[in-house]
């Protein structure tokens, strides 16, 4: 089977017009097979883009992309639980569950397990596959020596993050707000000032991590373009690119050309 390219959700708080135009260009120009949409980091951001979500989905579908709705990675309130249940209940699009709670709600229907869920071995993948998972994006911290054995016994299609800043952790607290001496409930959406995350440095001044609201990411960008052949040999079928403020069309074209030899 031909390897497919997927575009992950935008982790960062880009303004709604920028995000809409980004997805329109992805639909019209980029060789992605799968595009994930939805807010996975902070539910407070979702209303900004909600008016554009429908037209973005239709534009992507019209361009032949498979659209996947991604859930929050950390559900902490009754409102977020209600929204997760509503997302799981909709029948139009495939859902990616990034929290074990919504994965329970998705049981019995086809769905995707997102990279925020700890799938570290074939047994765990098999557990989710028996409950309806058709694909799992493995956590970013898994090394190749772990991916190989999982792929050998894979009960569902495997996906790996192959480019961009890697999602490492998510917290109920907002370090972005804290860094600006603000409370989470009155954050003033300061995360929007850092469209690729706020750099965190060591005491020696070396860049170490990137913070995006509740999320911690790698400072350096992952780039597995030279490892695609090895990963394909393991049996990985989908390669995910994390949206950044780079030319994502050019990045996707490079990965597509590499996968095609």
């Amino acid at each position: 089977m031909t390897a497919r390219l997927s575009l992950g959700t935008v982790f960062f708080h880009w303004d709604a017009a920028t995000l809409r135009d980004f997805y329109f260009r992805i639909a019209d120009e980029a060789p992605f097979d799968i595009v994930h949409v939805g807010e996975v980091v902070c539910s407070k951001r979702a209303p900004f883009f909600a008016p554009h979500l429908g037209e973005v989905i239709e534009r992507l579908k019209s361009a032949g992309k498979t659209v996947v709705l991604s859930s929050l990675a950390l559900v902490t309130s009754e409102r977020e639980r209600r929204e997760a249940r509503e997302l799981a209940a909709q029948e139009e699009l495939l859902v990616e569950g990034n929290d074990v709670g919504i994965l329970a709600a998705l049981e019995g229907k086809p769905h995707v397990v997102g990279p925020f869920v700890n799938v570290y071995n074939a047994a765990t993948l098999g557990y989710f596959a028996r409950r309806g998972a058709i694909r799992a994006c493995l956590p970013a911290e898994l090394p190749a020596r772990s991916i190989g054995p999982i792929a050998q016994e894979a009960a569902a299609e495997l996906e790996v993050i192959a480019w961009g800043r890697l999602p490492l952790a998510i917290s109920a607290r907002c370090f972005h707000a804290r860094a600006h001496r603000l409370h989470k409930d009155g954050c003033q959406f300061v995360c929007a000032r850092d469209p690729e995350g706020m750099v965190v440095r060591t005491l020696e001044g070396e860049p170490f991590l990137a913070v995006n609201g509740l999320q911690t990411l790698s400072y350096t960008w992952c780039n597995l373009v030279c490892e695609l052949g090895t990963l394909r040999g393991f049996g990985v079928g989908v390669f995910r690119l994390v949206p950044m403020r780079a030319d994502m069309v050019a990045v996707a074209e490079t990965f597509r050309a590499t996968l095609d030899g």
Side-chain angles (χ1 to χ4, degrees), residues 138-157:
L138 296 175
E141 64 268 24
L142 275 183
R145 65 178 179 273
S146 297
I147 295 174
I150 295 174
Q152 288 177 5
E153 303 178 43
E157 187 174 36

Side-chain angles (χ1 to χ4, degrees), residues 175-176 194 196-200 209-217:
F175 183 77
H176 223 128
D194 301 294
E196 292 183 320
M198 177 177 64
V199 176
V200 178
L209 297 168
V211 166
N212 168 43
L214 315 178
Q215 184 185 40
T216 304
L217 301 135

Side-chain angles (χ1 to χ4, degrees), residues 46-106:
F48 290 97
F49 190 62
H52 303 293
L53 185 58
E55 62 178 336
V56 162
I57 290 172
E58 288 307 311
R59 183 78 162 254
L60 290 166
K61 289 170 62 178
S62 296
K65 318 294 187 190
T66 298
V67 180
V68 179
L69 295 175
S70 295
S71 78
L72 276 179
L74 182 64
V75 176
T76 59
S77 69
E78 179 52 42
R79 174 181 60 83
E80 291 171 351
R81 285 192 289 273
R82 182 177 66 253
E83 291 171 350
R85 289 193 295 268
E86 291 171 354
L87 183 64
Q90 65 84 40
E91 300 287 345
E92 183 182 356
L93 296 171
L94 195 65
V95 173
E96 176 183 74
N98 287 299
D99 174 88
V100 292
I102 192 172
L103 288 177
L106 288 166

Side-chain angles (χ1 to χ4, degrees), residues 7-191:
L7 181 70
T9 51
V10 175
F11 291 144
F12 311 102
H13 188 27
W14 297 352
D15 70 82
T18 297
L19 194 53
R20 178 202 60 203
D21 293 346
F22 170 79
Y23 280 120
F24 282 0
R25 184 170 182 236
I26 291 298
D28 296 343
E29 302 179 32
F32 287 107
D33 304 285
I34 303 163
V35 178
H36 297 76
V37 297
E39 181 57 54
V40 302
V41 175
C42 178
S43 64
K44 291 171 64 177
R45 302 172 179 176
F48 290 97
F49 190 62
H52 303 293
L53 185 58
E55 62 178 336
V56 162
I57 290 172
E58 288 307 311
R59 183 78 162 254
L60 290 166
K61 289 170 62 178
S62 296
K65 318 294 187 190
T66 298
V67 180
V68 179
L69 295 175
S70 295
S71 78
L72 276 179
L74 182 64
V75 176
T76 59
S77 69
E78 179 52 42
R79 174 181 60 83
E80 291 171 351
R81 285 192 289 273
R82 182 177 66 253
E83 291 171 350
R85 289 193 295 268
E86 291 171 354
L87 183 64
Q90 65 84 40
E91 300 287 345
E92 183 182 356
L93 296 171
L94 195 65
V95 173
E96 176 183 74
N98 287 299
D99 174 88
V100 292
I102 192 172
L103 288 177
L106 288 166
E107 183 175 351
K109 60 193 298 186
H111 60 273
V112 178
V113 177
F116 295 89
V117 178
N118 293 341
V119 177
Y120 290 150
N121 53 58
T124 302
L125 181 60
Y127 173 87
F128 288 124
R130 290 191 296 274
R131 284 152 178 77
I134 61 171
R135 183 168 63 251
C137 184
L138 296 175
E141 64 268 24
L142 275 183
R145 65 178 179 273
S146 297
I147 295 174
I150 295 174
Q152 288 177 5
E153 303 178 43
E157 187 174 36
L158 289 186
E159 180 176 3
V160 298
I161 297 175
W163 191 88
R165 279 192 164 149
L166 298 175
L168 302 179
I170 194 107
S171 170
R173 297 189 176 190
C174 181
F175 183 77
H176 223 128
R178 185 79 173 267
H180 290 273
R181 299 184 179 180
L182 296 168
H183 294 289
K184 179 181 177 182
D185 292 339
C187 65
Q188 300 178 26
F189 298 97
V190 292
C191 53

